[in-house]
């Protein structure tokens, strides 16, 4: 092979190497970006779950006065559910009651939405008619 | 002849340029990758630390939520969450508190002398402020980075006497 031919072959080889390098770099960087996105989503999911758990605990402690509790912490009643926007996320609470002979069964759903990540936590608690609610 | 030599030189320069680009891009890729990896690891670690800060005390309380087994006690100006447990007739206490920039836990027999530095460090924390009021345990925790969290745990043994889930 002539010297010029060797040069062209080397050039061709390097071009192919660069092409594969560019593809690999794109794939690797997109993987890192995806990992970063997943990490951020995980953090947000964590925050929304803690917010939902916190609300569920407070609703449980409110006993037979969940509506009063929600109003007292800034929730507004809209279309049959309570809504509040605070601390960077939107929260919605829906409560259903089922009266029984001995008390009331409360079923609630707490939804927390932050940056298009939604966490939904269902909960239920029973308050007998004779129960003294501490709140 | 002169033209061919010039073309050959240009080809050589171009090859070296390509090699240079390859080297620079490889270095950049390694640096960017390392930076992204570090960001992901840091974020995951921070996430885990925050989860421990909130979940650990909350789950500890949920596990031991018995009548009169929970209280908040002041030890040398530090608020400690005390969880009492009965083992074979002896009363033991688990204390969770913040000391020297760390969330600590100590397990000891009731009545033993309390030394805050004797506990086991769980995770870094700026503060831990527990409070029990109206059947709710509320604790505020802060991270060393300045994030603040507040968590409520309904005490089944106190919140609504007779109410069940």
């Amino acid at each position: 092979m002539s010297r010029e031919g060797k040069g062209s072959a080397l050039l061709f080889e390097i071009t192919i190497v660069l092409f594969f390098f560019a593809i690999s770099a794109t794939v690797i960087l997109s993987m890192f970006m995806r990992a970063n996105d997943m990490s951020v989503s995980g953090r947000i999911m964590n925050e929304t779950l803690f917010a939902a758990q916190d609300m569920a605990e407070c609703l449980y402690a409110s006993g037979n006065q969940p509506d009063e509790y929600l109003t007292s912490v800034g929730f507004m009643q809209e279309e049959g559910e309570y809504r509040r926007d605070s601390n960077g996320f939107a929260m919605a609470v829906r409560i259903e009651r089922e009266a029984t002979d001995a008390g009331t069964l409360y079923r609630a759903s707490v939804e927390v939405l932050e940056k298009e990540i939604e966490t939904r936590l269902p909960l239920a608690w029973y308050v007998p008619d004779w129960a003294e609610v501490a709140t | 002849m002169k033209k061919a030599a010039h073309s050959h030189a240009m080809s050589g320069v171009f090859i070296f340029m390509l090699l240079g680009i390859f080297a620079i891009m490889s270095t950049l890729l390694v640096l960017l990758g390392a930076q992204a990896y570090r960001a992901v690891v840091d974020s995951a670690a921070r996430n885990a630390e925050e989860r421990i800060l909130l979940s650990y005390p909350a789950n500890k309380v949920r596990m031991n939520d018995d009548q009169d087994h929970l209280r908040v006690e002041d030890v040398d100006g530090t608020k400690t969450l005390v969880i009492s447990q009965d083992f074979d007739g002896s009363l033991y206490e688990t204390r969770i508190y913040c000391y020297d920039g760390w969330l600590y836990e100590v397990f000891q027999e009731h009545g033993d002398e309390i030394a805050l530095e004797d506990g086991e460090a769980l995770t870094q924390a700026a503060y831990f402020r527990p409070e029990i009021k109206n059947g709710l345990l509320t604790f505020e925790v802060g991270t060393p980075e300045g994030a603040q969290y507040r968590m409520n745990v309904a005490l089944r043994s106190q919140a609504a006497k007779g109410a069940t889930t």
Side-chain angles (χ1 to χ4, degrees):
Chain A
M1 197 182 270
S2 70
R3 209 170 159 186
E4 197 176 325
K6 275 184 186 172
S8 297
L10 185 63
L11 188 67
F12 184 65
E13 192 184 326
I14 290 174
T15 311
I16 289 171
V17 167
L18 268 180
F19 175 71
F20 278 105
F21 172 77
I23 293 172
S24 324
T26 312
V27 171
I28 289 168
L29 283 180
S30 64
M31 276 169 68
F32 276 123
M33 279 177 68
R34 178 98 182 96
N36 194 42
D37 286 351
M38 281 173 76
S39 175
V40 170
S41 301
R43 191 180 54 75
I44 293 172
M45 218 177 274
N46 219 18
E47 281 179 7
T48 54
L49 183 63
F50 277 125
Q53 275 181 358
D54 187 52
M55 180 50 61
E57 296 280 355
C58 290
L59 283 172
Y60 175 85
S62 73
N64 58 1
Q65 298 167 328
D67 303 270
E68 287 82 348
Y69 168 73
L70 290 170
T71 313
S72 73
V73 290
F75 277 81
M76 303 289 282
Q77 200 170 7
E78 289 171 31
E79 298 164 7
E81 63 181 21
Y82 289 91
R83 289 172 188 270
R84 185 180 73 178
D85 287 333
S86 68
N87 300 330
F89 44 72
M91 196 181 278
V93 180
R94 197 174 295 117
I95 301 171
E96 289 171 16
R97 291 166 183 76
E98 189 185 324
T100 65
D101 291 342
T104 309
L105 176 68
Y106 293 85
R107 283 196 193 92
S109 161
V110 181
E111 289 171 28
V112 185
L113 182 74
E114 185 183 355
K115 290 176 187 161
E116 296 178 4
I117 293 174
E118 189 184 59
T119 298
R120 187 181 298 220
L121 192 68
L123 73 140
W125 69 103
Y126 185 72
V127 183
D129 288 337
W130 50 267
E132 298 167 35
V133 177
T135 48
Chain B
M1 187 73 183
K2 214 174 180 183
K3 204 173 176 182
H6 180 70
S7 165
H8 186 71
M10 282 298 285
S11 172
V13 168
F14 190 61
I15 289 169
F16 272 113
M17 230 171 69
L18 280 179
L19 280 171
I21 290 171
F22 183 75
I24 291 167
M25 295 296 277
S26 304
T27 315
L28 271 177
L29 182 67
V30 169
L31 288 175
L32 277 172
Q35 208 175 350
Y37 180 74
R38 197 178 299 137
V40 169
V41 169
D42 284 352
S43 171
R46 209 165 41 241
N47 206 6
E49 275 175 18
E50 286 168 10
R51 210 167 45 224
I52 291 170
L53 268 180
L54 289 169
S55 294
Y56 191 82
N59 288 335
K60 211 63 178 170
V61 168
R62 286 184 189 121
M63 280 166 59
N64 301 286
D65 186 7
D66 289 333
Q67 196 77 43
D68 304 324
H69 277 216
L70 280 170
R71 66 181 192 279
V72 175
E73 216 174 79
D74 203 89
V75 179
D76 299 333
T78 302
K79 275 193 168 183
T80 65
L81 176 66
V82 188
I83 303 162
S84 307
Q85 289 159 290
D86 197 12
F87 291 113
D88 297 328
S90 300
L91 196 62
Y92 288 86
E93 290 173 339
T94 303
R95 277 173 199 272
I96 300 173
Y97 54 92
C98 186
Y99 176 74
D100 204 20
W102 286 82
L103 187 71
Y104 272 83
E105 181 191 66
V106 67
F107 181 75
Q108 56 187 172
E109 197 168 356
H110 176 70
D112 280 0
E113 199 177 323
I114 303 157
L116 295 176
E117 64 274 14
D118 285 351
E120 192 179 338
L122 301 171
T123 185
Q124 282 191 303
Y127 58 85
F128 174 73
R129 296 183 193 126
E131 187 188 17
I132 296 173
K133 200 176 173 186
N134 294 333
L136 263 183
L137 162 73
T138 303
F139 58 87
E140 293 173 344
V141 287
T143 65
E145 290 82 25
Q148 300 177 347
Y149 297 96
R150 186 187 163 94
M151 183 87 179
N152 289 295
V153 181
L155 302 177
R156 268 64 180 168
S157 57
Q158 294 179 30
K161 292 169 195 161
T164 54
T165 46

